[in-house]
Amino acid sequence: MDHRTSDEAELVRRVQAGDEAAFREIVERYQSKVFSIIYGILRSHNDAEDIAQQVFSKVYFSIKNFDFRSSLLTWIYKITVNECYDYLRKRKVRKLVYESEFTEDESQRLKAGEPGRDQAPPIDDVLARRDLALKLLARLPAEERDLLLLKEVEGHSIEELAEMTGINENTIKVKLFRARQKLFKAAQRLARPTPGMAAG
Amino acid sequence: MHELIRERLEELLSGAPQPESGLEQHLVTCTECRDELAAFRQQSALLKTLRCAEALSPAPGFYARVWERIQLQRSASVWNALLDPGFAWRLALGSLAALLLMGAFVAMNEKAPPAPAVTAIVVDEQPQELGLDPERDRDAVLVTLATYRE
């Protein structure tokens, strides 16, 4: 797909030419998506607002460099994930997910220490797994991390990913396979006990 | 992992392999591929914990807050540019170069000091006889004195 000819491309060109109304249209079109991506990673409404503002500010200042090789959404997605990881690096909170906000149901389950309805795993287990996923993804190069997130978290198919990124399907598959292997090795390293500690 | 499984890995992880592909048969006999596939399935499930089930929307006035932030960053960026050590160094070098150019320009275009005014003195080349007219005699002496060169 040629990202230069879409309706979205026209919108981008207007922003590049300094049209503020076009920028507003971009913000309004993608704000919910950006909020959901951030909340999916950080699980905090307060941080989502601040990071989303920063994402759109970056979009505004960098859009002149947007080269139409990928879709606008893919580009915004990358900026959003980068901002989330920058935030995590700055905060250096290894157990950030434990400080995050819970839904009413999650809070009740956490207080009661009981597994969720419908055989859902206990909420602290879910949080620990989320924490682990974030730690492992942090060890991947940005491109591979974004592809995995787009595939597994956003649920896009290989065909959609090829269309969104402008990379052919076979290359996407190869990149995903490498990313999965790296993630697997990172998980093994993380699970392996430190030699000194194991001896003690 | 064998090529056959690697090529169809994404299909297998999505749970939608072609029935006639022979993948299942291979997985029954190949322990290595089966174990790796199981690990990748676990990994896939782990990543899905980052999914956001609920559709979120920002509080009203989000665009205004974004725009305000952009304006703040825009004005801050001007000051940051001035305070940036690299920029300050380049500014200093640029100023020095401009100063040197201006100095050279001024030096090259500076006018020579005005030459002393030359008073045209008309000297009568004809030798004058002295003693005929005392006033002319005095003028002649003065002219001679004034134009005398060694």
Side-chain angles (χ1 to χ4, degrees), chain B residues 77-88:
Chain B
S77 66
V78 174
W79 287 108
N80 287 345
L82 288 171
L83 296 171
D84 174 45
F87 179 78

Side-chain angles (χ1 to χ4, degrees), chain A residues 40-150:
Chain A
I41 294 175
L42 302 177
R43 300 285 154 167
S44 161
H45 284 288
N46 292 336
D47 293 328
E49 163 80 25
D50 188 49
I51 294 169
Q53 280 183 28
Q54 186 57 21
V55 165
F56 285 110
S57 167
K58 284 217 165 157
V59 166
Y60 181 82
F61 287 115
S62 322
I63 205 157
K64 59 182 180 293
N65 301 322
F66 180 70
D67 56 8
F68 303 93
R69 278 192 291 181
S70 67
S71 70
L72 181 62
L73 175 61
T74 310
W75 187 67
I76 293 177
Y77 190 90
K78 285 178 187 173
I79 294 175
T80 308
V81 175
N82 269 340
E83 279 303 309
C84 288
Y85 271 90
D86 272 356
Y87 171 86
L88 288 172
R89 267 193 295 274
K90 280 175 197 160
R91 289 269 309 259
K92 290 188 179 170
V93 278
R94 294 182 61 192
K95 294 188 184 297
L96 178 97
V97 287
Y98 289 102
E99 297 168 1
S100 57
E101 297 163 12
F102 308 123
T103 62
E104 190 61 29
D105 180 49
E106 284 173 336
S107 301
Q108 291 301 322
R109 281 164 57 196
L110 190 62
K111 273 181 204 162
E114 64 187 31
R117 294 186 212 111
D118 308 323
Q119 280 78 48
I123 189 67
D124 50 351
D125 184 36
V126 173
L127 294 175
R129 283 165 61 74
R130 206 180 279 157
D131 190 29
L132 176 64
L134 288 175
K135 271 186 208 161
L136 293 177
L137 284 169
R139 290 164 192 231
L140 293 184
E143 190 195 20
E144 292 175 358
R145 183 189 64 203
D146 294 342
L147 270 179
L148 266 183
L149 285 169
L150 284 165

